[in-house]
Amino acid sequence: MPGRFTDRRLILANLWVALLAFGVGACMAVMQAMSRADLELPFRSPKMYYMSVTAHGILMALVFTTFFIMALGYVVVDTDRGRIPWPRFAWASYGVALTGTVLTLGTVYSFKASVLYTFYPPMQAHPLFYIGLTLLIVGSWGWCAEIIAAWRGALRERPDRPVSLALHATTANAMLWVLATLGVAAEMLLQLIPWSLGLEAKIDPLLARTLFWYFGHPLVYFWVLPAYAIWYTVLPREAGGKLFSDPLGRMTFALFLVLSAPVGFHHQFMDPGIPAGWKLFHMANTMLVAFPSFVTAFTICASLEVAGRLRGGTGLFGWIRTLPWGNPTVASVLLALLLFLVGGLGGLINASYAINSAIHNTAWVQGHFHLTVGSATALTFMGTAYWLIPKLTGRALQFELLAKIQPYLWFVGMVLFAMVNHVTGLLGMPRRIFEDAYAGAPQAIPWHGWTLVSAFGGIVLFVSAMFFMLVMLGTLFAGARVPQEPIVWAESLGEPAGGYTPGVWDRLGLWFVVAVAVAAIAYGVPLWHLVHMTRYGSPGFHTF
Ligand code: HAS
């Protein structure tokens, strides 16, 4: 029966890595949340804690996301084009990315790379840590080549028709990823790898941080754009309605491509050595890149209203009640949207130059990113898995009741965990600390009660994650055979009878060129300054 997908094995291979990374990452997370609240655990120590935080960050933020996004990209191409352009090349890219992942995690679990997922120098890891991450990125470039080739193939075949919105979104994300990863590739090849191999005695941490954040902010959009794609192309149909506007979706993804890179200094507002004018410029761009998210909030809300009213909802808010809250895919996405509303608005607070000094490096930041990548992205991906796996495997979801409860548990856990992190952040609690007693500092006393609440949230999140894993493993191994449904993207309201004709937002090649130019303006001069100013460099430090 399974066979609707030509590249099913490749998609499943990517999904398996994503799922395993998520399951292991969730186990590390619950230990960290408890350890931070001073709850005793076997083998608890700072050394164990920082190894675990590094592993959790790499597994969740870099491995789970990247492999899930690659699987989803192949699903889109397979659905729209019937097959991916070069299957052997895709398998080779997968092999490279997987080898890199194993190398990196090997160094982390052998306590040779407790440098956290941002791997800021002068903390130094084993060379294989950096080489492994580089391979993970090289593997993902193979995926980008596949997606862009599929998009070009679709354009060549039907020049009078735009590609599907799903393929448009996936291609914009692949282009964004190519542009973003140039920064981290430069950091790895010119700085971190030679320095960790002992070929260079010292490293310039500020230059490394700048190259990292050139990559690091578009990275967050690389994580969230596939979730946006699901909100636009799957949610409206699953909720029983239509997408409010297809053209607004196309504009959104093209704008993200252009505006994602020239904003990285909002992670470095507190760093010395970067002129204030450039920080202000990046702040203004950050406010601009919020625009496509506001458009998305409007479009998705309008699409949900259409669905709710088609399902019989009346009155100002009656349509919200009639949405299918019992459908695990829809519930996951709706709850992800609600959490993202808070996380996204928190992002705008972070991006305000002056206010950033109050929250930078505090627990607030981990609150922010658990509502964004940990909810908007991760919870949407869980909902996507409930929708996708039966279509991919021809097996019915197992443990359906757990699947129905799981998104709500995630929501409650995240409210307790991430909202509370915002509060402790405002109370001055730093992020990434092993224990909230902070060596008995009196300022730390008010943190403890709140941190216990966040630890409880961590436990609820862990239970939710295990429910998800049970449903996935149960379905993949023992789901009953069912007729395989094809993937059909959501229809859009107001589509002209003969279909749309390509518009300016469909010209992703042009927007890529604009994106390169904007990134060159935003980074060219500051990087030139950094490279030419007097620099002293630092030797490596092995903290644990
Ligand atoms: Fe961020 C730090 C600013 C979005 C991830 N961010 C981080 C870090 C991560 C991260 C991982 O300016 C930590 C990095 C580290 O380790 O140091 N972020 C922003 C801004 C946005 C933003 C302005 N971030 C994200 C997304 C992420 C992510 C998305 C991952 C996926 N972030 C910052 C800044 C920092 C930062 C500073 C540095 C802080 C510091 O000092 O260290 C914006 O793009 C957000 C725009 C989004 C919105 C929300 C739109 C709402 C929508 C939902 C609508 C809801 C509906 C509900 C329709 C304005 C789309 C309907 C439901 C019904 C039931 C009807």
Side-chain angles (χ1 to χ4, degrees):
M1 188 55 143
R4 234 174 234 291
F5 289 87
T6 319
D7 304 298
R8 180 174 159 271
R9 286 181 56 226
L10 177 69
I11 297 167
L12 275 172
N14 279 281
L15 276 178
W16 266 110
V17 180
L19 290 176
L20 289 177
F22 178 82
V24 179
C27 298
M28 322 287 309
V30 69
M31 292 189 298
Q32 288 155 212
M34 289 165 69
S35 171
R36 212 158 37 102
D38 267 348
L39 300 170
E40 276 311 325
L41 294 166
F43 310 111
R44 178 173 177 255
S45 69
K47 181 175 171 158
M48 184 63 88
Y49 178 80
Y50 287 104
M51 184 280 277
S52 176
V53 181
T54 307
H56 170 69
I58 302 276
L59 283 164
M60 292 301 211
L62 303 180
V63 181
F64 163 60
T65 49
T66 307
F67 279 90
F68 198 96
I69 291 166
M70 294 199 288
L72 204 53
Y74 289 139
V75 167
V76 170
V77 169
D78 201 319
T79 303
D80 282 15
R81 307 282 301 142
R83 68 169 312 144
I84 60 166
W86 312 299
R88 281 194 188 167
F89 178 64
W91 274 108
S93 305
Y94 168 79
V96 171
L98 186 59
T99 308
T101 302
V102 172
L103 288 180
T104 297
L105 289 172
T107 59
V108 174
Y109 283 115
S110 48
F111 293 93
K112 290 192 164 51
S114 296
V115 290
L116 310 173
Y117 87 102
T118 39
F119 46 87
Y120 291 145
M123 284 194 295
Q124 194 178 53
H126 191 278
L128 286 180
F129 173 85
Y130 304 115
I131 293 170
L133 283 179
T134 308
L135 290 179
L136 172 58
I137 286 179
V138 171
S140 71
W141 283 342
W143 173 82
C144 293
E146 297 280 356
I147 300 294
I148 294 169
W151 169 75
R152 284 171 58 90
L155 287 183
R156 261 196 311 271
E157 226 167 69
R158 296 286 312 267
D160 56 328
R161 284 274 166 272
V163 301
S164 75
L165 181 55
L167 185 54
H168 175 84
T170 309
T171 309
N173 205 25
M175 289 179 169
L176 181 156
W177 189 235
V178 171
L179 182 61
T181 43
L182 295 179
V184 74
E187 184 194 2
M188 290 292 185
L189 299 178
L190 304 177
Q191 292 193 282
L192 294 172
I193 294 178
W195 172 66
S196 65
L197 286 170
L199 302 174
E200 300 278 351
K202 290 185 173 180
I203 193 161
D204 177 351
L206 181 57
L207 179 61
R209 284 168 70 87
T210 305
L211 290 173
F212 181 85
W213 285 117
Y214 165 87
F215 151 79
H217 200 76
L219 166 70
V220 313
Y221 294 119
F222 173 70
W223 294 332
V224 90
L225 289 195
Y228 276 48
I230 295 292
W231 303 347
Y232 277 96
T233 62
V234 174
L235 175 67
R237 187 182 163 87
E238 288 294 299
K242 292 188 177 190
L243 173 62
F244 180 71
S245 167
D246 175 287
L248 281 180
R250 288 172 195 274
M251 178 190 79
T252 292
F253 292 104
L255 283 179
F256 271 117
L257 172 57
V258 173
L259 292 169
S260 288
V263 298
F265 288 161
H266 71 220
H267 292 267
Q268 294 183 275
F269 284 151
M270 297 303 124
D271 283 14
I274 299 167
W278 284 106
K279 289 180 178 171
L280 264 178
F281 180 59
H282 281 227
M283 183 190 87
N285 287 337
T286 307
M287 298 302 163
L288 278 182
V289 76
F291 173 68
S293 288
F294 283 124
V295 172
T296 301
F298 167 75
T299 315
I300 301 306
C301 232
S303 311
L304 290 172
E305 183 173 349
V306 170
R309 293 203 186 282
L310 283 174
R311 298 171 68 90
T314 52
L316 198 54
F317 297 116
W319 55 271
I320 298 179
R321 198 175 31 80
T322 52
L323 291 171
W325 291 92
N327 171 329
T329 298
V330 177
S332 301
V333 176
L334 291 180
L335 297 171
L337 282 164
L338 289 173
L339 292 169
F340 186 51
L341 200 53
V342 182
L345 294 175
L348 294 176
I349 294 174
N350 302 347
S352 311
Y353 197 164
I355 302 179
N356 183 268
S357 59
I359 56 87
H360 182 64
N361 264 341
T362 69
W364 168 288
V365 177
Q366 92 218 8
H368 165 68
F369 69 68
H370 279 88
L371 292 179
T372 49
V373 64
S375 299
T377 299
L379 191 51
T380 299
F381 284 0
M382 289 181 238
T384 305
Y386 294 140
W387 163 83
L388 176 63
I389 301 277
K391 293 181 168 44
L392 197 59
T393 59
R395 289 178 183 275
L397 272 193
Q398 280 286 291
F399 311 123
E400 221 180 323
L401 183 62
L402 296 190
K404 283 179 192 235
I405 299 171
Q406 181 273 323
Y408 293 92
L409 278 181
W410 194 268
F411 182 82
V412 172
M414 218 28 116
V415 169
L416 295 175
F417 180 79
M419 302 291 191
V420 166
N421 282 331
H422 281 81
V423 177
T424 44
L426 291 179
L427 291 172
M429 179 167 154
R431 64 188 281 202
R432 296 166 158 169
I433 57 169
F434 160 65
E435 38 107 39
D436 65 359
Y438 217 47
Q443 295 87 333
I445 293 167
W447 304 343
H448 186 59
W450 289 107
T451 315
L452 280 175
V453 178
S454 88
F456 180 65
I459 295 169
V460 177
L461 284 169
F462 175 70
V463 174
S464 170
M466 291 305 115
F467 278 14
F468 171 71
M469 290 303 291
L470 270 176
V471 176
M472 286 297 107
L473 298 178
T475 307
L476 284 163
F477 284 119
R481 292 278 179 202
V482 285
Q484 224 182 332
E485 287 176 26
I487 287 182
V488 182
W489 307 124
E491 276 178 59
S492 80
L493 275 182
E495 181 165 343
Y500 290 107
T501 47
V504 66
W505 299 115
D506 287 298
R507 302 186 59 189
L508 288 179
L510 167 72
W511 295 119
F512 180 70
V513 175
V514 177
V516 173
V518 175
I521 295 169
Y523 271 96
V525 179
L527 273 176
W528 177 264
H529 267 296
L530 276 183
V531 173
H532 287 89
M533 71 187 192
T534 311
R535 294 178 301 150
Y536 300 98
S538 169
F541 289 89
H542 297 262
T543 33
F544 293 101

